[in-house]
Amino acid sequence: MALLEIKNLCVSVDDKPILRGVDLTVNPGEVHAIMGPNGSGKSTLAQVLAGHDAYTITDGSVKFRGKDLLDLSASERAGEGMFLAFQYPVEIPGVSNTYFLRAAYNAVREYRGEPPLDPVAFINYLKSKMHIVGMDQAMLKRSVNAGFSGGEKKRNEIFQLTVLEPVLAVLDETDSGLDIDALRVVSDGVNAMRSPDRAFVVITHYQRLLEYIVPDVVHVLVDGRIVRSGGKELALELEDKGYGWLEEGSAESLVAAGARR
Amino acid sequence: MTNETRDGVGTTSVVRGSTPRTTTTPAGDRFLADFAALSRANGHAPAWLNERRIAAAARFEAVGLPTTRQEAWRKTNVQPIAQVVFANAPAMAADSAVATAAAAALDRLALLALDGHRLVFVNGVFDAARSHVGALPAGVRVGTLEQAWREGDAAVAAHYGRHADGDDAPFAAINTALAHDGAVIVVPDGVAVEAPIHVVFACASGETAVAHHPRVLVVAGVGSRVTVIESYGGLVAGDVYLTNAVSEVVVAEGAEVDHTKRQLESEAAFHMGGMHVVQTGASRYVNHNVALGGRIVRNEIAIRIDASGCDTLLHGLYMGHGQQHIDNHTMLDHLKSGCHSFELYKGVLDGRATAVFTGRIKVHQDAQQTDAVQENRCLLLADTATVNTQPQLEIFADDVKCTHGASVGELDETQLTYLKARGIPPAAAHGILTYAYANEIIERIPIELVRDELEGLIRGRVRETQQLGD
């Protein structure tokens, strides 16, 4: 069974259509990259999957592990194993990383009918995860993302991923604002989490991230539709030629349309 | 962010000499009746004290209880206080049944595990059994006012009633007229008292509503250091009583005073509190004012910054629910140049609670290079809760930096979204963020045990606290 099955997903914000019929199927163990120009709807797709309520679903369906995802609240989706690494992680002064992670981890356990971990057991569990993205104790004690650098925030997102162990992780432009060292740390963290049971949807502008997190499938999202899908070599082609040749009304697409006629 | 203002508990004015609903005696006369009784009982008081008491009684007689016609009381109607007949509180302390029932509550309020010195008063009467004053550096006085009066302490004679009793302070006048005991802390020049000094004023009213008039005097000498915690609380939930408290604090050159107020009164009680601080030399004074209890609450905190180079920090947290009304009135009086004051007050209101914040900052002509920052924020958890917030800046010097900000709002949507995306259900996410909001004030209190205990109380207040663990 597919892990995620998106059919004809149409989404509007303030009556303006953003996604105009997206189809996407993700199987366990796969890594899908979604690329596309600014404003093509990539981040909207990520936020709709995570359950952000600023969007209106006008058509289509999303099945996640066989359940209707769109019927679930944001916290229920997380309980089912959905994880969104935010493009802009939110600062929460006054709530320590450790506290936040334990609240999230135990909320997810409760959703699954499992008993909560006590503080000591949880700290031990956290410690077993810290090496994956090089978290230190000091960062755990600090308030969630408060005063973190851009790189630290993205690293913290991936740290949360390693702690919460989702079955589907959507990474929304996790590479934006990262220098090459931070990109490597974040990518290593993601690669360490790859497994036959877990899938990733990696949203990015740039091919560079995909050198580190090698995708099985690359999709190109233009104007709210997936206009092309292919293997990892498609990302290289996009790096070379840009997105123009895939956009509606471009010279190449007109030539192709003419040839078909 | 939305700004919302509304009248306080009501705008009905109290006409002095009119007939209140539940009594035929005007409130002022009743307080004076107490005064006459207490004067007879305190025949051994020094002459200067009797003079100040008589002067205070006369001052109160002249002004009476405040009405909502007065600008400073426009949003806080004390008529409900005038309508209750309060018994003379000290008489209740002999009632052992009340004392026994309330013993556990008193132990909690008194923070027995706190390592330091402790003075406990129940219904205004010193409780020697629960008090504990350990070894102190030479010359330090931590004890009762009654003893200091008897012994003729010069610092007490010099300062008692000298800082609180302005013409516009009717409740302070009642206190000065009626207070028959209280706490005194005198730290001589150059002495640091390392352990915190905890002063506890508990009240249990039993069958009859009672009034008590807690009094604190802190005199911190040149280059001294002291940490003072004042706790106020009811021992029986739902008790109706009046706490009418006055604290005076004198901070000399080079001294550092850290001063916390825990207000955990019964939610049917009235709390009128005045803290009057004077910084007489370049010094540091930090105040943490936490108000969780009380039906009608007024905190007046007035700081006279009467020397160059002072640091003054005011941190406040008020949490109201149900029908609580909490009024914080702060005054930073910048008289001299080159001083820095910082004020941060935060409120959390639920239910039909109302709150008032008035933050006055007066920068006198001589107070050049004053740097004053004031911020008041209030979180409204219910549509029915209201806050009225008013910064009042009066600046007569031309080279100063004064900023103020006030915001009234709800929890941050992006933070709620983030917590929910990590699996935390909406109610628990609200609880976590509300707690974090309040904790920004609590975490500034220097004593860990006091912080922990307040954090526990706040967690209890915040909805869906089970998600907060521990």
Side-chain angles (χ1 to χ4, degrees):
Chain A
M1 186 178 69
L3 189 59
L4 180 74
E5 206 167 4
I6 303 176
K7 284 190 177 155
N8 189 36
L9 183 64
C10 298
V11 173
S12 296
V13 176
D14 298 331
D15 290 333
K16 186 175 172 250
I18 306 289
L19 297 183
R20 303 191 296 170
V22 171
D23 295 294
L24 178 67
T25 300
V26 178
N27 293 305
E30 292 178 347
V31 175
H32 289 240
I34 297 181
M35 304 184 73
N38 276 329
S40 59
K42 302 189 302 293
S43 284
T44 298
L45 178 61
Q47 303 220 8
V48 165
L49 291 178
H52 198 295
D53 44 21
Y55 301 93
T56 311
I57 317 287
T58 53
D59 203 0
S61 67
V62 181
K63 285 246 188 301
F64 180 53
R65 306 172 85 186
K67 290 189 181 172
D68 187 346
L69 187 78
L70 303 178
D71 274 354
L72 301 174
S73 71
S75 54
E76 288 168 340
R77 293 177 197 199
E80 290 287 340
M82 170 76 76
F83 180 92
L84 170 66
F86 280 58
Q87 184 180 1
Y88 302 108
V90 178
E91 298 193 9
I92 311 182
V95 179
S96 76
N97 258 319
T98 302
Y99 182 79
F100 165 68
L101 282 166
R102 183 156 63 89
Y105 185 77
N106 280 337
V108 167
R109 283 178 71 94
E110 189 179 340
Y111 181 85
R112 295 172 188 166
E114 296 163 9
L117 278 195
D118 65 57
V120 175
F122 183 73
I123 287 289
N124 289 332
Y125 173 70
L126 268 193
K127 282 181 179 162
S128 73
K129 299 290 186 181
M130 284 166 61
H131 68 94
I132 299 175
V133 288
M135 285 298 280
D136 57 39
Q137 290 279 6
M139 261 176 107
L140 288 180
K141 284 184 184 161
R142 285 166 65 185
S143 290
V144 179
N145 294 326
F148 282 29
S149 70
E152 284 175 327
K153 285 180 181 172
K154 295 300 176 76
R155 185 144 55 105
N156 202 21
E157 291 294 288
I158 303 307
F159 180 59
Q160 293 172 25
L161 190 158
T162 66
V163 170
L164 296 173
E165 297 184 327
V167 292
L168 176 68
V170 179
L171 313 184
D172 188 7
E173 301 203 15
T174 295
D175 52 335
S176 67
L178 292 189
D179 62 28
I180 198 75
D181 291 332
L183 188 65
R184 189 169 289 129
V185 169
V186 162
S187 305
D188 287 350
V190 171
N191 288 328
M193 294 301 290
R194 287 182 76 159
S195 89
D197 307 320
R198 182 174 294 125
F200 290 84
V201 173
V202 181
I203 290 170
T204 181
H205 261 300
Y206 303 107
Q207 188 269 338
R208 190 179 66 163
L209 176 67
L210 305 180
E211 288 174 14
Y212 296 95
I213 304 172
V214 180
D216 300 300
V217 190
V218 175
H219 308 276
V220 183
L221 190 68
V222 175
D223 257 346
R225 285 193 194 95
I226 289 178
V227 295
R228 176 125 357 163
S229 299
K232 61 182 184 236
E233 60 290 345
L234 178 57
L236 289 168
E237 198 177 351
L238 291 167
E239 184 83 351
D240 218 28
K241 298 162 77 172
Y243 295 110
W245 61 289
L246 291 168
E247 285 171 13
E248 269 183 73
S250 71
E252 186 161 335
S253 62
L254 287 176
V255 169
R260 277 204 298 278
R261 213 178 286 138
Chain B
M1 289 289 176
T2 53
N3 273 292
E4 201 174 325
T5 57
R6 202 199 76 155
D7 279 353
V9 278
T11 52
T12 322
S13 55
V14 181
V15 180
R16 283 215 350 117
S18 68
T19 308
R21 250 185 311 129
T22 55
T23 171
T24 55
T25 314
D29 288 357
R30 277 190 278 113
F31 283 118
L32 291 182
D34 281 353
F35 176 67
L38 275 163
S39 297
R40 283 192 297 277
N42 285 275
H44 61 272
W48 63 260
L49 178 59
N50 277 331
E51 281 165 22
R52 286 175 211 178
R53 283 172 169 167
I54 290 163
R59 238 186 348 266
F60 175 69
E61 197 171 18
V63 298
L65 286 177
T67 75
T68 51
R69 287 181 193 163
Q70 286 160 254
E71 179 58 29
W73 292 87
R74 204 160 52 86
K75 299 293 181 186
T76 296
N77 186 353
V78 298
Q79 194 182 26
I81 298 173
Q83 288 177 347
V84 177
V85 179
F86 295 104
N88 191 1
M92 296 298 297
D95 185 339
S96 64
V98 171
T100 308
L106 181 55
D107 288 348
R108 282 195 301 277
L109 182 68
L111 296 176
L112 298 180
L114 181 63
D115 190 12
H117 315 286
R118 185 171 58 245
L119 299 171
V120 179
F121 298 83
V122 179
N123 285 8
V125 175
F126 183 58
D127 182 340
R130 277 198 177 71
S131 298
H132 166 79
V133 178
L136 286 163
V140 174
R141 177 187 285 274
V142 175
T144 65
L145 274 167
E146 197 275 333
Q147 187 187 2
W149 289 331
R150 213 164 0 95
E151 293 174 3
D153 189 303
V156 173
H159 292 290
Y160 184 88
R162 290 292 197 222
H163 310 291
D165 287 313
D167 288 336
D168 54 350
F171 284 100
I174 296 171
N175 181 294
T176 300
L178 300 182
H180 64 285
D181 202 353
V184 59
I185 297 161
V186 180
V187 185
D189 294 353
V191 173
V193 180
E194 298 298 342
I197 300 165
H198 186 198
V199 184
V200 181
F201 293 100
C203 196
S205 60
E207 295 292 300
T208 321
V210 301
H212 67 142
H213 305 276
R215 186 85 183 201
V216 176
L217 174 64
V218 179
V219 181
V222 173
S224 68
R225 189 151 46 83
V226 65
T227 300
V228 179
I229 301 141
E230 294 180 25
S231 295
Y232 296 86
L235 302 182
V236 182
D239 257 9
V240 178
Y241 58 85
L242 167 66
T243 300
N244 178 34
V246 169
S247 304
E248 292 173 295
V249 183
V250 183
V251 191
E253 174 84 22
E256 286 182 30
V257 175
D258 194 285
H259 192 187
T260 297
K261 175 174 177 177
R262 285 163 82 224
Q263 191 272 91
L264 311 172
E265 306 280 21
S266 142
E267 285 183 24
F270 307 106
H271 180 97
M272 299 287 117
M275 288 184 152
H276 304 266
V277 181
V278 58
Q279 292 180 265
T280 60
S283 56
R284 180 179 170 86
Y285 174 77
V286 185
N287 184 291
H288 315 270
N289 173 22
V290 180
L292 300 182
R295 166 71 184 83
I296 296 178
V297 175
R298 167 88 161 195
N299 291 310
E300 290 184 21
I301 299 182
I303 322 284
R304 242 176 101 78
I305 307 169
D306 202 5
S308 292
C310 287
D311 271 330
T312 312
L313 285 81
L314 303 185
H315 306 140
L317 171 68
Y318 53 95
M319 293 182 81
H321 60 180
Q323 300 278 328
Q324 286 181 284
H325 175 79
I326 304 170
D327 177 350
N328 283 296
H329 237 73
T330 65
M331 165 63 161
L332 285 155
D333 204 13
H334 279 274
L335 292 139
K336 298 286 160 64
S337 64
C339 294
H340 167 242
S341 68
F342 173 84
E343 178 171 16
L344 174 62
Y345 264 68
K346 295 181 89 172
V348 179
L349 298 180
D350 204 349
R352 302 193 61 80
T354 54
V356 180
F357 173 81
T358 307
R360 265 184 88 188
I361 298 176
K362 187 168 181 179
V363 181
H364 294 254
Q365 205 171 347
D366 290 342
Q368 300 292 356
Q369 281 102 47
T370 291
D371 182 354
V373 177
Q374 179 192 90
E375 197 168 342
N376 172 243
R377 288 184 239 154
C378 191
L379 190 57
L380 297 179
L381 298 178
D383 292 344
T384 45
T386 55
V387 63
N388 194 299
T389 171
Q390 195 180 14
Q392 295 179 342
L393 272 60
E394 300 162 55
I395 300 169
F396 299 97
D398 50 22
D399 179 20
V400 301
K401 211 173 103 189
C402 283
T403 62
H404 67 90
S407 65
V408 179
E410 295 162 4
L411 292 171
D412 185 308
E413 275 302 326
T414 62
Q415 293 178 346
L416 285 171
T417 297
Y418 193 68
L419 293 176
K420 288 188 278 188
R422 292 294 173 262
I424 298 169
H430 272 91
I432 288 171
L433 292 181
T434 305
Y435 173 73
Y437 177 91
N439 202 37
E440 189 187 351
I441 298 299
I442 301 303
E443 68 189 10
R444 293 164 195 248
I445 295 171
I447 309 298
E448 186 177 10
L449 190 96
V450 175
R451 276 200 310 272
D452 289 351
E453 191 263 354
L454 285 170
E455 283 170 10
L457 291 173
I458 289 164
R459 271 201 290 265
R461 273 288 185 94
V462 170
R463 283 180 290 198
E464 291 294 326
T465 52
Q466 74 277 11
Q467 291 293 330
L468 293 166
D470 296 359

